[in-house]
Amino acid sequence: MWNQTNVSRVLGIDYPILQGPFGGNLSSVKLVSTVSNLGGMGGYGAYMLTPDEIIALDRELKQATAKPYNINLWISDTDFPAGEVSEEQFAKAAALVKPFFDEVGAPLPAKPKAYPSRFENQVDALLAAKPPVFSFIFGLPSQTILEDFRKKGIKLIGNATTLDEAIALDNAGVDVIIASGFEAGGHRPSFLESPEASLTGTFVLVQQIREKVKTPVVAAGGIADARGVAAAFTLGAEGVQIGTAFLATEESGASEYHRNLLRSDAARYTTLTKVSTGRLGRGIRSRYTESIAGHNDELLPFPLQNQFIVPLRKAATEAQQYDLIMFWGGQIASVLKHTSAKKLFETIVEEVPGYLK
């Protein structure tokens, strides 16, 4: 049976289909529980949550599903943990976005302040909550942290954008490795080299990792239907992670406009840029992204850039000037068909065997 793989056995799920864990309030308990209850594994991006919020979230998830689910954290959740950016750097970043603030009639915010990483406090909360699976991006936790999770029976999933990162994760003893190709929407979770130097495509990356690594591999990026799942399995993946297709469903935390945009012709045009948060990520092109393209070096570091333009996103949303916002999405968006996560999942499960004959 195609669904009986090392990934499904290790994670204790019926089908090795993982829902990408979205950050920025795009995840939802409803989406996670829908995918998990159908036999896959839902995922929730919790990097923005406080420890108390993580514990409350886990309680909600346990009430919504008795099946395995995944809570995801960012190991590196700030690129500027101490001090402040210079006035000169802030002036350059402010000059780039001021015309957009003026356009929506919003005042330019003051210089945002850096804050220390919250990862270790979030880890403590996650250990107390004991979700079935902990996945992480932007790095590799210490062996002490990994062992703490193992002692509680929590499975570990790491994300790799290069073969070297996969080897590092394999050496650390994670249970599953996500091979994250550059086609994927959202941030590029690279940690050994810069994201700009870590842009291998999903299907090449899967083959590279399978040649050198024993840990089960899940393909992520550019997969939205049964044909993509079958292609990933043919090349050596033992599971898939689907992000954009689930993000576009009614069960996700995305706004109605965002979901409709992902299923529109505009979603054919995506870009890898830092203009939204200060870290490289893929989203749908907009007037905002194209106007600031080529100015990555003048932006504030993550998460200061993100904090700085929050008022712009809010004002643009209220004014329905959506071309002043970048909405996350992967390159596969133009083939999306389903508005229901349940229908999407069931269609994939039904159709995959036909492509694997």
Side-chain angles (χ1 to χ4, degrees):
M1 297 291 289
W2 71 270
N3 56 304
Q4 296 176 358
T5 71
N6 287 323
V7 168
S8 58
R9 284 188 285 270
V10 166
L11 299 179
I13 55 181
D14 297 326
Y15 300 97
I17 301 173
L18 285 59
Q19 169 244 315
F22 317 122
N25 298 316
L26 297 177
S27 291
S28 75
V29 171
K30 184 176 183 180
L31 178 59
V32 174
S33 59
T34 296
V35 175
S36 289
N37 286 334
L38 288 168
M41 192 176 75
Y44 198 108
Y47 81 92
M48 292 181 66
L49 303 185
T50 66
D52 287 344
E53 289 171 336
I54 287 173
I55 291 173
L57 165 67
D58 185 76
R59 190 178 301 118
E60 276 192 79
L61 290 169
K62 283 183 168 66
Q63 291 173 347
T65 181
K67 301 291 187 69
Y69 56 86
N70 158 42
I71 294 182
N72 177 272
L73 293 179
W74 293 18
I75 296 173
S76 169
D77 58 2
T78 175
D79 295 336
F80 205 75
E84 295 185 3
V85 296
S86 69
E87 292 299 331
E88 180 182 3
Q89 185 178 5
F90 175 68
K92 289 181 179 179
L96 284 176
V97 298
K98 186 177 185 303
F100 303 111
F101 277 92
D102 291 343
E103 186 173 337
V104 295
L108 198 67
K111 182 171 65 174
K113 294 185 178 181
Y115 59 80
S117 172
R118 298 176 292 183
F119 174 68
E120 291 198 6
N121 290 335
Q122 291 173 324
V123 160
D124 289 341
L126 214 54
L127 285 166
K130 286 186 62 176
V133 180
F134 164 44
S135 74
F136 50 87
I137 61 174
F138 288 120
L140 181 57
S142 69
Q143 276 299 327
T144 299
I145 289 176
L146 294 176
E147 190 58 32
D148 286 342
F149 278 92
R150 292 189 189 102
K151 288 177 180 176
K152 289 183 175 287
I154 301 169
K155 298 300 183 181
L156 299 164
I157 299 180
N159 282 254
T161 63
T162 66
L163 174 58
D164 287 342
E165 290 176 351
I167 291 172
L169 292 167
D170 186 50
N171 290 338
V174 301
D175 296 293
V176 172
I177 295 173
I178 306 288
S180 180
F182 70 82
E183 301 95 331
H187 289 96
R188 302 301 303 136
S190 307
F191 62 93
L192 289 183
E193 291 191 66
S194 70
E196 291 85 354
S198 308
L199 297 178
T200 307
T202 302
F203 288 157
V204 171
L205 185 59
V206 166
Q207 293 176 84
Q208 289 178 337
I209 294 174
R210 277 305 305 268
E211 286 292 317
K212 301 292 184 181
V213 170
K214 295 181 180 179
T215 303
V217 179
V218 168
I223 301 170
D225 56 20
R227 186 182 315 178
V229 173
F233 273 62
T234 300
L235 294 175
E238 295 190 72
V240 296
Q241 179 171 280
I242 297 175
T244 299
F246 279 121
L247 184 62
T249 65
E250 295 172 354
E251 293 90 340
S252 86
S255 67
E256 182 180 6
Y257 181 87
H258 191 172
R259 297 195 308 269
N260 289 337
L261 184 66
L262 287 170
R263 295 191 297 270
S264 73
D265 287 342
R268 290 186 292 169
Y269 308 103
T270 65
T271 182
L272 274 172
T273 180
K274 292 183 177 180
V275 301
S276 184
T277 68
R279 277 188 178 174
L280 193 69
R282 184 176 297 282
I284 300 170
R285 292 181 187 176
S286 66
R287 180 159 61 92
Y288 172 72
T289 67
E290 298 310 287
S291 296
I292 307 183
H295 294 276
N296 279 345
D297 292 341
E298 299 170 46
L299 301 172
L300 298 177
F302 179 88
L304 303 186
Q305 177 70 18
N306 186 52
Q307 295 171 20
F308 185 50
I309 66 168
V310 163
L312 173 61
R313 292 195 198 105
K314 182 179 179 181
T317 299
E318 291 174 351
Q320 297 187 357
Q321 290 184 242
Y322 298 114
D323 58 347
L324 301 185
I325 304 171
M326 187 183 83
F327 292 92
W328 299 114
Q331 289 183 325
I332 198 65
S334 61
V335 308
L336 300 185
K337 298 177 181 177
H338 298 287
T339 60
S340 160
K342 183 175 186 291
K343 183 63 175 178
L344 169 63
F345 190 97
E346 291 176 339
T347 300
I348 290 173
V349 168
E350 178 184 347
E351 294 181 355
V352 165
Y355 287 108
L356 290 175
K357 287 181 179 179

